[in-house]
Amino acid sequence: MMTLALDGPRRASRQLHPALVPGLFFAFVLVLILLRLGRVVELAYPVGAVLVGLMCYRRNPAEYVSFMCWLYFLSPEVRRIADFFNGAYNPISPIQMAPVLVAILSGLTVLTHYRVVATKRAFPSLLIVLAMTYALVVGCIRNSVPSALFSFGYAIIPVFVGFHVLATWKHFPVYSRVLVSTFSWGMFVIGIYGVIQYVLMPPWDAMWMLKSGIGSVGEPLPFSFRVFSTLNSPGPLATVLMGGLLFMLAGRGKVVWVGAVSGLVVLLLTAVRSAWGGLIIGGIYALACIDARTRARVILAILIVSALSVPMFAVEEFAKPVLDRMESVTSIKDDRSFQIRMRFYESFLAVATSDIAGQGMGAVGIGTKLDSATSQLGKFGVFDSGLMEIPFVMGWPGTLLYLTGLLWMIGRAMKRGLAMKSNRLLAAAVGTAIALVSMLVFSNTLNAFDGILFQLGVTLPVIGHRYARMLAASGGATP
C-alpha cells in the first residue's frame, strides 16, 4: 500500500488561492452588470473567460481546471442577473458558452502532449474517442452535419479534460489541493445561495422561471419550487452537489462544514432522487475503500453534518417537499415518473439494441435543434436514459468500443485507489465516478459537466498512483 503527502512542491506556497482569479473575474462582471451594461457582458463575459482560462492554462493546469469548474457553477446565474438588469430575457445568451469555450482549451493538451496519446494509460480514452468518431460519421449521414458535430463536441469535451489531467500528472499535489478547495468553496457559494433563493426567490431567478418555460420545477415564489441555485435547473444542480459533497470528504476547515451543511440541504430541496441515490452509492464506496482510522473520522464528520442539517428541516416549508419526495421512494411502484420510465424501457429496449449501425451523433439531446427549421428539440431531444442512449446513438460497434474504454477506466481507477487507502480524495473521486455511472439509468451523466466530474473521478487515482511511484523511486515516500 502506498501513502502520499499532498503538500506539493515548495513553490506551491507562492501560488494564488484557487478562488482568487475566479473571484476577481466574477466581481468585474458583476460591476458591469450593476452599471446596466448587460449587452456588453453578453460579449465580454465569454471573451474574458477564454482569456482568463488561457492565463490559468499557461500558469498551472490545476488552476485552469478550477476556473473551468467555477464557470460551470456560476455562468447560468450570471446570465440571469445580466438579463434582469438589462430588462430583457435573451433565449440565446452567449454567456452560456463561456464554460464550454474554456473547457475546449483542454484540447490543446492533446497537441502539447501528443506522445501521451500513444501510451497505455491513454488507451481507454482513445477507445472512447474512436467510438465517438464512429458515431459522428454515422450521425453526419443519418442526421445532419451541424447536429452531429455539435453533439460530438458536447460529448468529447470531458474526454479532453480527462486527458489534460492525465498528461499533467506531475501536478497531482496541486490538483489535490486546488480541487478540494474549489469544491469546498463552490459548495459553500452554491449551497448558501440555494437556501437564500428558496427563502426569498430573487427577481432575476423569478424572471428566468417565467421566461424560460421551466415551470415544471414549481412557481417563482418563496418555498414553492425545486431549488436550482446558480445553475439552470434542479437536475444539473443536484449532480454538481452530489459530486461536490463527495469531493469534500477530503476537505478540512470551516468552509467545508458550512458548504457541506448548506449543500446537503439544497441537494434535498432539488428533489432529484437519482442524485440522492448517487450520493449514497458513492459515499458507501468511498467509506469502504479507505483505512479504518480514516473511515471513523469521515463517518463522524458525516454524522455531524447530518445533525447540523436537521434544524433546517424543523421548518415545515423545508421539510414537507423533502418528506413528500422521500415518501415517493417508499411507494415507487405508484410513482408516476417511475411508471413512465419503466414503460420507456419496455418499449425502447428493442429499438435501442436492434439498430446495429446506430443513429449516430445528433440523434438525441440539444443537437436535435439543429435539424429543425424552428430550432425545436427533435423527437428524441429529451432522452431519459443514458443506458439506452449509448447503444441507440453508437450502435453495436461504437458501444463495444465505448463500454470497453469506460469499464477499463473505472476498473483501473478502483485498483489505483485501493492501493492508496489513506488518501480520502482518491476514494471520493472513484466514488463520484461510480455514482455517476449508477445514474445512467436516469440520464446521460457522461456528457457536459457531469462527464467532466466522471473524468476527474477516474483520472485522479491514476495520476496520484503514478506520482506516488515517482516519489517512492526518488526516496520521497515509502511504498
Coordinates of all heavy atoms in Angstrom, one line a residue, residues 187-236:
M187 N -19.3 24.6 -3.2 CA -20.5 24.1 -2.4 C -20.9 25.2 -1.4 O -22.1 25.3 -1.2 CB -20.2 22.8 -1.7 CG -19.9 21.6 -2.6 SD -21.1 21.3 -3.9 CE -20.3 22.1 -5.4
F188 N -20.0 25.9 -0.9 CA -20.3 27.0 0.1 C -21.2 28.0 -0.7 O -22.2 28.4 -0.2 CB -19.0 27.6 0.6 CG -19.2 28.8 1.5 CD1 -19.3 28.6 2.8 CD2 -19.2 30.1 1.0 CE1 -19.5 29.7 3.7 CE2 -19.4 31.2 1.8 CZ -19.6 31.0 3.2
V189 N -20.7 28.5 -1.8 CA -21.4 29.5 -2.6 C -22.8 29.0 -3.1 O -23.8 29.6 -2.9 CB -20.6 30.0 -3.8 CG1 -21.4 31.0 -4.7 CG2 -19.3 30.7 -3.2
I190 N -22.7 27.8 -3.7 CA -24.0 27.2 -4.3 C -25.0 26.9 -3.2 O -26.2 27.1 -3.4 CB -23.6 26.0 -5.1 CG1 -22.8 26.4 -6.4 CG2 -24.9 25.3 -5.6 CD1 -22.2 25.2 -7.1
G191 N -24.5 26.3 -2.1 CA -25.4 26.0 -1.0 C -26.0 27.2 -0.4 O -27.2 27.2 -0.2
I192 N -25.2 28.2 0.0 CA -25.8 29.3 0.7 C -26.7 30.1 -0.2 O -27.8 30.5 0.2 CB -24.6 30.3 1.1 CG1 -23.8 29.7 2.2 CG2 -25.2 31.6 1.6 CD1 -24.5 29.4 3.5
Y193 N -26.4 30.2 -1.5 CA -27.3 30.9 -2.4 C -28.5 30.1 -2.7 O -29.6 30.7 -2.8 CB -26.6 31.2 -3.8 CG -27.5 32.0 -4.7 CD1 -27.6 33.4 -4.5 CD2 -28.2 31.4 -5.7 CE1 -28.4 34.1 -5.3 CE2 -29.1 32.2 -6.5 CZ -29.2 33.5 -6.3 OH -30.0 34.3 -7.1
G194 N -28.4 28.8 -2.7 CA -29.6 28.0 -2.9 C -30.6 28.1 -1.8 O -31.8 28.2 -2.0
V195 N -30.1 28.2 -0.5 CA -31.0 28.5 0.6 C -31.7 29.8 0.5 O -32.9 30.0 0.7 CB -30.2 28.3 2.0 CG1 -31.1 28.7 3.1 CG2 -29.7 26.9 2.1
I196 N -30.9 30.9 0.2 CA -31.4 32.2 0.0 C -32.4 32.2 -1.1 O -33.5 32.9 -1.0 CB -30.2 33.2 -0.3 CG1 -29.3 33.3 0.9 CG2 -30.8 34.6 -0.7 CD1 -28.1 34.1 0.6
Q197 N -32.1 31.6 -2.2 CA -33.1 31.5 -3.3 C -34.4 30.9 -2.9 O -35.5 31.4 -3.3 CB -32.5 30.7 -4.5 CG -33.3 30.6 -5.7 CD -32.7 29.6 -6.7 OE1 -32.7 28.4 -6.5 NE2 -32.2 30.2 -7.8
Y198 N -34.4 29.8 -2.1 CA -35.6 29.1 -1.7 C -36.4 30.0 -0.8 O -37.6 29.9 -0.9 CB -35.2 27.8 -1.0 CG -36.4 26.9 -0.7 CD1 -37.1 26.4 -1.8 CD2 -36.7 26.6 0.6 CE1 -38.2 25.5 -1.5 CE2 -37.7 25.7 0.9 CZ -38.5 25.2 -0.2 OH -39.6 24.4 0.1
V199 N -35.8 30.8 0.0 CA -36.5 31.6 1.0 C -37.0 32.9 0.4 O -38.1 33.3 0.7 CB -35.6 31.9 2.2 CG1 -36.2 32.8 3.2 CG2 -35.2 30.6 3.0
L200 N -36.2 33.5 -0.5 CA -36.5 34.9 -0.9 C -37.0 34.9 -2.4 O -37.7 35.8 -2.8 CB -35.3 35.8 -0.8 CG -34.8 36.0 0.7 CD1 -33.6 36.9 0.7 CD2 -35.9 36.5 1.6
M201 N -36.5 34.0 -3.2 CA -36.7 34.0 -4.7 C -36.4 35.3 -5.3 O -37.2 36.2 -5.5 CB -38.2 33.7 -5.0 CG -38.5 33.7 -6.5 SD -37.3 33.0 -7.7 CE -37.6 31.2 -7.4
P202 N -35.1 35.6 -5.6 CA -34.6 36.8 -6.2 C -35.3 37.1 -7.5 O -35.7 36.1 -8.2 CB -33.1 36.5 -6.4 CG -32.8 35.5 -5.4 CD -34.0 34.6 -5.3
P203 N -35.6 38.3 -7.8 CA -36.4 38.7 -9.0 C -35.8 38.2 -10.3 O -36.5 37.8 -11.3 CB -36.4 40.2 -9.0 CG -35.3 40.6 -8.1 CD -35.1 39.5 -7.1
W204 N -34.4 38.1 -10.4 CA -33.8 37.6 -11.7 C -34.1 36.1 -11.9 O -34.2 35.7 -13.0 CB -32.3 37.9 -11.7 CG -31.6 37.7 -10.4 CD1 -31.1 36.5 -9.9 CD2 -31.3 38.7 -9.4 NE1 -30.5 36.7 -8.7 CE2 -30.6 38.0 -8.4 CE3 -31.6 40.0 -9.3 CZ2 -30.2 38.6 -7.2 CZ3 -31.1 40.7 -8.1 CH2 -30.5 40.0 -7.1
D205 N -34.1 35.4 -10.7 CA -34.4 33.9 -10.9 C -35.9 33.7 -11.2 O -36.3 32.8 -11.9 CB -34.1 33.2 -9.5 CG -32.6 33.2 -9.3 OD1 -31.8 33.2 -10.3 OD2 -32.1 33.1 -8.1
A206 N -36.8 34.6 -10.6 CA -38.2 34.5 -10.9 C -38.4 34.8 -12.4 O -39.2 34.1 -13.1 CB -39.0 35.5 -10.0
M207 N -37.7 35.8 -12.9 CA -37.9 36.2 -14.3 C -37.4 35.0 -15.2 O -38.1 34.7 -16.2 CB -37.1 37.4 -14.7 CG -37.3 37.9 -16.1 SD -36.3 39.4 -16.5 CE -34.8 38.6 -17.1
W208 N -36.4 34.3 -14.8 CA -35.9 33.2 -15.6 C -36.9 32.1 -15.6 O -37.2 31.5 -16.7 CB -34.6 32.7 -14.9 CG -34.2 31.3 -15.3 CD1 -34.3 30.2 -14.4 CD2 -33.6 30.8 -16.5 NE1 -33.9 29.1 -15.1 CE2 -33.4 29.4 -16.3 CE3 -33.2 31.4 -17.7 CZ2 -32.9 28.6 -17.3 CZ3 -32.7 30.6 -18.7 CH2 -32.5 29.2 -18.5
M209 N -37.5 31.8 -14.5 CA -38.5 30.7 -14.4 C -39.7 31.0 -15.3 O -40.3 30.2 -16.0 CB -39.0 30.5 -13.0 CG -38.0 29.8 -12.1 SD -38.6 29.5 -10.4 CE -39.8 28.2 -10.8
L210 N -40.1 32.3 -15.3 CA -41.3 32.7 -16.1 C -41.0 32.7 -17.6 O -41.8 32.3 -18.4 CB -41.8 34.1 -15.7 CG -42.4 34.2 -14.3 CD1 -42.6 35.6 -13.9 CD2 -43.7 33.4 -14.3
K211 N -39.8 33.2 -18.0 CA -39.5 33.4 -19.4 C -38.9 32.1 -20.1 O -39.1 31.9 -21.3 CB -38.4 34.5 -19.6 CG -38.9 35.8 -19.1 CD -40.0 36.4 -20.0 CE -40.3 37.8 -19.6 NZ -41.4 38.4 -20.4
S212 N -38.2 31.2 -19.3 CA -37.6 30.1 -19.9 C -38.5 28.9 -20.1 O -38.1 27.9 -20.8 CB -36.3 29.7 -19.1 OG -36.7 29.2 -17.8
G213 N -39.6 28.9 -19.4 CA -40.5 27.8 -19.5 C -40.2 26.6 -18.7 O -40.5 25.4 -19.1
I214 N -39.5 26.8 -17.6 CA -39.2 25.6 -16.7 C -40.2 25.6 -15.5 O -39.9 25.3 -14.4 CB -37.8 25.7 -16.2 CG1 -37.5 27.0 -15.3 CG2 -36.8 25.5 -17.3 CD1 -36.2 26.9 -14.5
G215 N -41.5 25.9 -15.8 CA -42.5 25.9 -14.8 C -42.7 24.5 -14.1 O -43.3 24.5 -13.1
S216 N -42.1 23.5 -14.7 CA -42.3 22.1 -14.1 C -41.6 22.0 -12.7 O -41.9 21.1 -12.0 CB -41.7 21.1 -15.0 OG -40.4 21.3 -15.3
V217 N -40.7 23.0 -12.4 CA -40.0 22.9 -11.1 C -40.8 23.6 -10.1 O -40.3 23.6 -8.9 CB -38.6 23.5 -11.3 CG1 -37.8 22.8 -12.3 CG2 -38.6 25.0 -11.5
G218 N -41.9 24.3 -10.4 CA -42.7 24.9 -9.4 C -43.1 26.3 -9.8 O -42.9 26.8 -11.0
E219 N -43.5 27.1 -8.8 CA -43.9 28.5 -9.0 C -42.7 29.4 -8.6 O -42.0 29.1 -7.6 CB -45.1 28.8 -8.2 CG -46.4 28.0 -8.6 CD -46.8 28.4 -10.0 OE1 -46.7 29.5 -10.4 OE2 -47.4 27.5 -10.7
P220 N -42.6 30.6 -9.2 CA -41.5 31.5 -8.9 C -41.8 32.3 -7.6 O -41.9 33.5 -7.6 CB -41.4 32.4 -10.1 CG -42.7 32.4 -10.7 CD -43.3 31.0 -10.4
L221 N -42.1 31.6 -6.5 CA -42.5 32.2 -5.2 C -41.7 31.5 -4.1 O -41.3 30.3 -4.3 CB -44.0 32.0 -5.0 CG -44.9 32.7 -5.9 CD1 -46.4 32.2 -5.7 CD2 -44.8 34.2 -5.9
P222 N -41.4 32.2 -3.1 CA -40.6 31.5 -2.0 C -41.3 30.2 -1.5 O -42.5 30.1 -1.4 CB -40.6 32.6 -0.9 CG -40.8 33.9 -1.6 CD -41.7 33.6 -2.8
F223 N -40.4 29.2 -1.3 CA -40.9 27.9 -0.8 C -41.8 27.2 -1.7 O -42.5 26.2 -1.3 CB -41.6 28.1 0.6 CG -40.8 28.8 1.6 CD1 -41.2 30.1 2.0 CD2 -39.6 28.3 2.2 CE1 -40.5 30.8 3.0 CE2 -38.9 29.0 3.1 CZ -39.4 30.3 3.5
S224 N -41.8 27.5 -3.0 CA -42.8 27.0 -3.9 C -42.2 26.3 -5.1 O -42.8 26.1 -6.2 CB -43.8 28.0 -4.4 OG -44.5 28.6 -3.3
F225 N -40.9 26.0 -5.1 CA -40.2 25.4 -6.2 C -39.1 24.5 -5.8 O -38.7 24.5 -4.6 CB -39.7 26.5 -7.1 CG -38.7 27.4 -6.4 CD1 -37.3 27.2 -6.6 CD2 -39.0 28.4 -5.6 CE1 -36.3 28.0 -6.0 CE2 -38.1 29.2 -4.9 CZ -36.7 29.0 -5.1
R226 N -38.6 23.7 -6.8 CA -37.4 22.9 -6.5 C -36.2 23.8 -6.8 O -36.1 24.4 -7.9 CB -37.4 21.7 -7.4 CG -38.6 20.7 -7.1 CD -38.8 19.8 -8.3 NE -37.6 19.0 -8.6 CZ -37.5 18.4 -9.8 NH1 -38.4 18.4 -10.7 NH2 -36.4 17.7 -10.0
V227 N -35.3 23.8 -5.8 CA -34.2 24.7 -5.9 C -33.2 24.4 -7.1 O -33.0 23.3 -7.4 CB -33.4 24.7 -4.6 CG1 -32.1 25.6 -4.7 CG2 -34.2 25.1 -3.4
F228 N -32.8 25.5 -7.8 CA -31.8 25.3 -8.8 C -30.6 26.2 -8.6 O -29.6 26.1 -9.4 CB -32.4 25.6 -10.2 CG -33.1 26.9 -10.3 CD1 -32.5 28.1 -10.7 CD2 -34.5 27.0 -10.0 CE1 -33.2 29.3 -10.8 CE2 -35.2 28.1 -10.1 CZ -34.6 29.3 -10.5
S229 N -30.6 27.0 -7.5 CA -29.4 27.8 -7.1 C -28.8 28.5 -8.3 O -29.5 29.2 -9.0 CB -28.4 26.9 -6.4 OG -27.4 27.7 -5.8
T230 N -27.5 28.4 -8.5 CA -26.8 29.2 -9.5 C -26.8 28.4 -10.9 O -26.2 29.0 -11.8 CB -25.3 29.5 -9.1 OG1 -24.6 28.2 -8.9 CG2 -25.3 30.3 -7.8
L231 N -27.4 27.2 -10.9 CA -27.4 26.5 -12.2 C -28.7 26.7 -12.9 O -29.6 27.4 -12.5 CB -27.0 25.0 -12.0 CG -25.5 24.8 -11.8 CD1 -25.1 25.0 -10.3 CD2 -25.1 23.5 -12.3
N232 N -28.9 26.0 -14.0 CA -30.1 26.2 -14.9 C -31.3 25.5 -14.4 O -32.4 26.0 -14.7 CB -29.8 25.7 -16.3 CG -29.1 26.8 -17.1 OD1 -29.4 28.0 -16.9 ND2 -28.3 26.5 -18.1
S233 N -31.2 24.4 -13.7 CA -32.3 23.6 -13.3 C -31.9 22.7 -12.1 O -30.7 22.5 -11.9 CB -32.9 22.8 -14.5 OG -32.0 21.9 -14.9
P234 N -32.9 22.1 -11.5 CA -32.5 21.2 -10.3 C -31.7 20.0 -10.7 O -30.9 19.6 -9.9 CB -33.9 20.7 -9.8 CG -34.9 21.8 -10.3 CD -34.3 22.3 -11.6
G235 N -31.9 19.4 -11.9 CA -31.1 18.3 -12.3 C -29.6 18.5 -12.3 O -28.8 17.8 -11.6
P236 N -29.1 19.4 -13.1 CA -27.6 19.7 -13.1 C -27.1 20.1 -11.7 O -26.0 19.8 -11.4 CB -27.5 20.8 -14.1 CG -28.7 20.7 -15.0 CD -29.8 20.2 -14.2

